Amino acid sequence: MEKPWFEVEHYIGGEFVGGGNGFDVRYPATNEVIGTAPEGKEAEVDAAVGAAQEAFGKWGRMGAGERRLMLKRFAEGIRARADELARVESWDVGRPIRENTHGYVLRVAANIEFFADFVVTHGSDAYPMDTGYINYVLHQPVGVAGLITPWNVPMMLSTWKIGPALAFGNTVVLKPAELTPIGAWKLAQIAHESGLPPGVFNVVQGFGPDSAGAYLTAHPDVDLISFTGETTTGKAIMKSATDTLKRVSAEMGGKGPNVIFADADVDKAVQTSLRSSFFNQGEFCLAGSRIMVQRPLYEEFLEKFAAAAKGLKPGDPFDESTSLGSLIGPEHLEKVEGFLNGRSPAFHSGAEVRLGGDRPDLGAPFDGGNYLNATIVADVKPEDRISQEEVFGPVATAMPFDEEDEAISLANGVSYGLSAVVQTRDLGRAVRVAGAIDAGTVWVNDFFVRDLRVPFGGMKSSGMGREGGVYSREFFTEAKTVCLSNK
Ligand code: NDP
């Protein structure tokens, strides 16, 4: 495939600025430079926040129906350029194109469309009092929303915030991860073409700490921050946002348990575990790669899972047969390998690398990329570092358990609580275990099915707050009570 060249820009106040200089944009699959992106600093953040503040006056007061029509055009623009956006996401992230085309871009559009519709299809509560007074609730926009997103699923995660922020009447400044700047720039182009008024949606490219991300978080005229990324970054953002009393929603890391009981359909459990461990080459906050299998099924499951995972094919993300993409960059590859290699691997000596652990031999130019074969480490212990920390790569671990209570306690024995998978044919057990696991979302006999109406977010170190449907409305609006006198 011919290498493209992207001159990524900021999008501020309805204008594309800053292109042609800044930092290199690299294609993770080869580490070749495929463009440049401008490095936003205080001046760009100030300009974007100023533009968003100015636009808020009109956008925030506009009727929800009118906003809906504009956002529908934005979503239609995304769908119309679905093929291009799917390719862009592969250039940005290194994810196989077949994982992008299968519904991915449609979901990117749906994230906007859903909330555009939500605002006109949902009313608000009224509370008549015994004394005859009537209270009703208004959900009013907050102001300027700062959105800070990570590199692993950039378009999905940014529209997940852009959609509700705009639909509920806020204006937006988006700071995408510096490793994946292309998608946000493309979304800005589509917003522009679809006629979104200037300043309603702004993008400032650049870095996080002591730079664009931190300026945005600390900016006195930004009213709320919706952040997705690492737990340590989330903590820093929350601290910084406290000084200006911003509300913060933080979706952070995960270490999802995948609990497989002996009565589970083993072939289905293998397929579900393949997706939960290796989708997006494991660079996935929701990954259910901390696998626990009830002892009678342990060996059979591991054998079948390893055979299936061996069939995952790393390589050219644009080859339709590629099923395992490149990690985001060399430093991240080394971090993931650090869980497996070296003088002190992140597991005790009795554990065994059943599959992978090595880099594939792909030849030029992909041997210059950041590939790791699908990896399974069996017989890990709960206290091993690999069982406790987020690996964020194509690495699954497995350990046996005997009793249901033990499985629950193992599942909950980490600091994270984002998502979990439970696999069993016993409905009562599914209900008990799903209820007992510390996680914002639990999938029973499946993985990564997401209804935009339901709350999404994490417990413990995985997050603060929930987004989705009415939960997004709670975050992206000010609820105001009006009390009507009957006198
Ligand atoms: P990071 O926390 O490193 O970065 C996320 C975003 O925050 C980036 O745009 C980054 O900018 C920015 N940033 C970094 N430091 C600061 C700061 N001090 N102030 C303001 N902004 C800052 O996460 P990654 O990009 O490495 O993403 C991977 C992480 O995201 C994993 O832990 C994963 O679990 C989590 N994640 C959570 C999800 C969830 O829904 N819970 C979903 C997807 C991922 P820059 O990168 O440009 O420096």
Side-chain angles (χ1 to χ4, degrees), residues 142 146-148 161 216-218 222-228 231 233-252 463-467 474-476:
V142 183
L147 312 181
I148 301 179
K161 299 177 189 299
L216 186 62
T217 312
V222 172
D223 300 286
L224 63 87
I225 294 285
S226 175
F227 163 79
T228 300
T231 300
T233 315
K235 284 184 188 166
I237 285 178
M238 280 185 228
K239 275 190 198 142
S240 146
T242 305
D243 289 340
T244 42
L245 289 179
K246 288 181 185 59
R247 62 175 72 178
V248 177
S249 159
E251 295 177 0
M252 304 187 277
M464 291 255 301
R466 297 288 184 276
E467 293 185 26
E474 265 171 39
F475 180 69
F476 285 107

Side-chain angles (χ1 to χ4, degrees), residues 297-369:
L297 190 65
Y298 186 67
E299 271 311 321
E300 182 189 346
F301 170 83
L302 262 181
E303 221 167 87
K304 290 186 164 169
F305 181 50
K310 204 170 177 190
L312 292 173
K313 183 172 164 260
D316 180 355
F318 289 97
D319 182 334
E320 280 288 344
S321 68
T322 296
S323 45
L324 197 64
S326 164
L327 297 183
I328 192 74
E331 273 179 31
H332 185 60
L333 173 61
E334 274 173 34
K335 184 178 161 211
V336 171
E337 286 180 323
F339 281 89
L340 305 167
N341 305 328
R343 266 172 289 143
S344 52
F347 43 84
H348 74 288
S349 56
E352 181 199 356
V353 178
R354 285 274 182 115
L355 183 74
D358 54 345
R359 299 182 185 190
D361 186 6
L362 297 172
F366 300 105
D367 51 3

Side-chain angles (χ1 to χ4, degrees), residues 148-153 157 160 175-179 206-217 227-234 236-237 240 250-254 283-286 390 392 416 418 450 456-458 462-463:
I148 301 179
T149 49
W151 46 259
N152 60 333
V153 263
L157 289 172
W160 172 239
K175 208 298 280 175
E178 102 264 357
L179 293 171
F207 294 76
D210 301 320
S211 195
Y215 298 141
L216 186 62
T217 312
F227 163 79
T228 300
E230 280 183 15
T231 300
T232 45
T233 315
I237 285 178
S240 146
E251 295 177 0
M252 304 187 277
E283 294 171 320
F284 204 37
C285 54
L286 299 169
E390 187 177 40
F392 229 56
Y416 294 103
L418 186 59
R450 202 147 151 227
F456 176 79
S462 289

Side-chain angles (χ1 to χ4, degrees), residues 28-29 89-90 92-100 151-154 180 274-285 287 289 312-317 322-329 332-333 336 370-375 391-396:
E89 185 97 342
S90 286
D92 247 346
V93 181
R95 181 190 313 135
I97 192 79
R98 74 185 209 177
E99 287 184 5
N100 292 343
W151 46 259
N152 60 333
V153 263
T180 53
L274 266 191
R275 285 193 295 128
S276 75
S277 304
F278 302 117
F279 170 76
N280 204 39
Q281 51 286 334
E283 294 171 320
F284 204 37
C285 54
S289 48
L312 292 173
K313 183 172 164 260
D316 180 355
T322 296
S323 45
L324 197 64
S326 164
L327 297 183
I328 192 74
H332 185 60
L333 173 61
V336 171
N370 314 296
Y371 287 87
L372 185 70
N373 280 315
T375 298
V391 178
F392 229 56
V395 179

